[in-house]
Amino acid sequence: MERPKPTPERSLISDIEHSKIEAALRADEFVTDPQRLSNMVASLKTEEMLDPLQTVNGLAACSPHLQTLFNADIGLLRPARLGEHTEADFSGLEQDYIRLFPNPEHRQILRFASLVQDSGKSLCVKATGDNKQQTAYNQMITEVLLDKIDSAVMADDAKDAVQLLVEYDVIGAMLQGRFDQVQLDELRVKWPARFSNQLADFVITSYMSDASAHTAHRAFTNIIGELQPCVAPEDVSLDFLFETKGHPLTLTQPYRRAVAALFPDAKVTTALLQPSTESVKAPTREYLYTTEADDIWSATLAVQSKPYSVVKEQIEAFVMTTGFPISAFVKRGRGDIVHNVTLVRDPSRRFGTLPPEAHEQAVEQLTESFGWERQPQDTSPPDVSACIGLLEGYDEATGTLHKPVEAIAFLLEREQGVNWQTKPTMLVSARRVTNDTGAVELQTWNERVIHIVGTRHRNVETVASTNPALDQLKALAGSLAQQRFFVEDGMSGKTIAFAS
C-alpha cells in the first residue's frame, strides 16, 4: 500500500524563536560552533559529488538558530521550508553545474553561495510578514556566517564573492522585465579582481541552481524521509523558464537569449546559453509621423495599495467627471495590488496636448478626490523615457504578446553606450469624447507595456542633433511591431509621439 504524502503546511518561526535569533545576532552568538562551520566549508572544495541533505544538515549543525531558520516557511505561493528549498538548490548545483568548475576554490564559492543565498528568507517572513525584503536578511545571515569562517579555510576575497552573489540578483530581476544597468556596473566594480574571469559564470550558475529549485525538475527530502518534487502540477512554478529535457538544465527562449546578451563574457556556461534555433532578423518599421509637445512633465502619486481594478475605475471616473485626458503607468504588483501611479503627457495629433500647468491642476484634483499623495521626483530628465507596447497590432485576440525580457535582450544586443532601466507596467489611457450621435462617452485603452529609461554613458559623445538612446528605442518599437509609441526626449526637452 502506497504511503500518502505528508500534507504541506506553513511552519513559521515562533515569537520566542524570533527573540532568541535576534538576541544571538546582537550578541554575535548566532554561530555556536565556528570550528564545525569552518570544517564544513573546507569540505566544499572536494571534487566528489556532495549529498545535498547531508550538506544542509552539516551547515545547520553549526547553529541551532540556523536550524530554526531552515525549519521555517519562506513565504512562497506554496508551503516550503528554507531547508527544503536549500537542499533543492544545492542538488541542482551538484547535479547539473558543479562539474563545470574544476577549480576547488570556485566550487567552494558556488556551493557556499547555494547554501546561504536564501538564508534569511524565513526570518524576513517572520519579521515583515512576507519575503519582499529578503535580500537584506539574506545578506545579514550570510555576513554573520562568513565572519566565523577561518580565512585559512575560505579566503577573504572568496567570502566577498559569496556576499555579492547573495546581494545582487541581476538575472532574476531581468527575466521579470526589471533591469538596471547601474546595478550590473556596481557588481562588476565590487567583484574581487582575482575572480574577475568567473563573474559571469558564477552569477549564471547561482541563478540557474536557485531558480530551478522552484520547478518540478528538482526535489527535496520531506518530513518522512522521501524525495518529493519541489512543485506539484497545481503550484505556481518556474518550469516555464527551463527546457523540459536533458541535463544540465538550461533556459528556454527568450530567457536564454537575454542572459547571453547580459553576460557576453561567460565562458564555461556559454554552452547553456547557445541559441536553440537560428536567429531571425527583427522586423523594421518606419515612424514617419511625429506629434511634438514642448517640455517634459510627469508626476508619481501613491495610491495606498489598492486593487488595479479600483485604480483603473478611479482614473476613468475622474476623466468622465472632469474631461481631463489621462495617460498613466500603473504597476500591478502581487495580488494585483497597485502602490503608485505615474501620470505622463501623451501628445495627440487629433486632440492636441495640454501644457504641464494643466496637468499640475489635474494632480491637485486627483489628490483631493482620491487621497492620492504626490511623491518626490528627480527634476533632471534622462536622455529618453519611453513607453513601448508589447502587444502587436493592439489586438488581444490575434496579436502576439511579447515578453518584457525580449525588449531587454534587444537593447543589450545593440551597440552599447546607453545605460538602460526597464520596468514592465500597464499603460492606462482614458479620454472623454463626443461620439457621432453627440453623446459623451469614455474612450479608454489599457495596454501592457515596458517603461524604458535610457541615459548615455558619460564618456559617450554624440552629435548635438542626435539621440542614440531614442534611435535604439525606435528600432525596438519596430521589432515589436508597434504602430505608435511616445517618449520624453531629454535631449530636446520635448515629449514626442511617433506613428507609422
Side-chain angles (χ1 to χ4, degrees), residues 13-32 63-69 123 126 140-141 144:
I13 297 171
S14 70
D15 291 343
I16 293 175
E17 290 170 331
H18 187 203
S19 297
K20 288 181 178 179
I21 291 171
E22 288 190 326
L25 289 169
R26 286 193 301 269
D28 194 23
E29 296 174 350
F30 183 84
V31 176
T32 55
S63 165
H65 310 297
L66 195 57
Q67 183 66 67
T68 297
L69 298 184
L123 182 59
K126 175 60 179 179
M140 175 176 61
I141 300 300
V144 167

Side-chain angles (χ1 to χ4, degrees), residues 258-299:
V259 175
L262 183 66
F263 288 112
D265 53 337
K267 295 177 178 62
V268 300
T269 56
T270 301
L272 302 176
L273 306 176
Q274 293 297 315
S276 52
T277 59
E278 290 187 14
S279 60
V280 178
K281 186 177 180 180
T284 59
R285 183 184 290 264
E286 294 295 325
Y287 293 95
L288 305 175
Y289 306 102
T290 63
T291 305
E292 296 185 354
D294 288 333
D295 300 321
I296 293 172
W297 178 93
S298 66

Side-chain angles (χ1 to χ4, degrees), residues 60-138:
C62 305
S63 165
H65 310 297
L66 195 57
Q67 183 66 67
T68 297
L69 298 184
F70 279 151
N71 287 335
D73 192 85
I74 53 177
L76 304 180
L77 296 178
R78 64 184 187 278
R81 293 178 174 87
L82 175 60
E84 296 168 349
H85 172 74
T86 304
E87 179 192 350
D89 181 328
F90 196 88
S91 68
L93 176 65
E94 293 296 295
Q95 201 172 32
D96 280 1
Y97 309 117
I98 202 66
R99 71 194 70 175
L100 300 174
F101 300 91
N103 184 298
E105 196 171 23
H106 297 173
R107 291 196 294 268
Q108 184 188 50
I109 291 170
L110 285 167
R111 282 167 165 160
F112 196 67
S114 172
L115 292 169
V116 299
Q117 62 187 340
D118 287 306
S119 54
K121 204 166 187 175
S122 56
L123 182 59
C124 178
V125 171
K126 175 60 179 179
T128 69
D130 59 40
N131 61 24
K132 292 178 184 176
Q133 302 173 48
Q134 62 170 299
T135 300
Y137 287 85
N138 294 337

Side-chain angles (χ1 to χ4, degrees), residues 168-178 200 203-205 207-208 251 255 259 262-263:
Y168 287 88
D169 179 29
V170 290
I171 294 180
M174 179 191 67
L175 298 189
Q176 296 175 58
R178 295 180 285 109
V203 173
I204 291 168
T205 300
Y207 174 77
M208 299 279 271
L251 298 168
Y255 307 103
V259 175
L262 183 66
F263 288 112

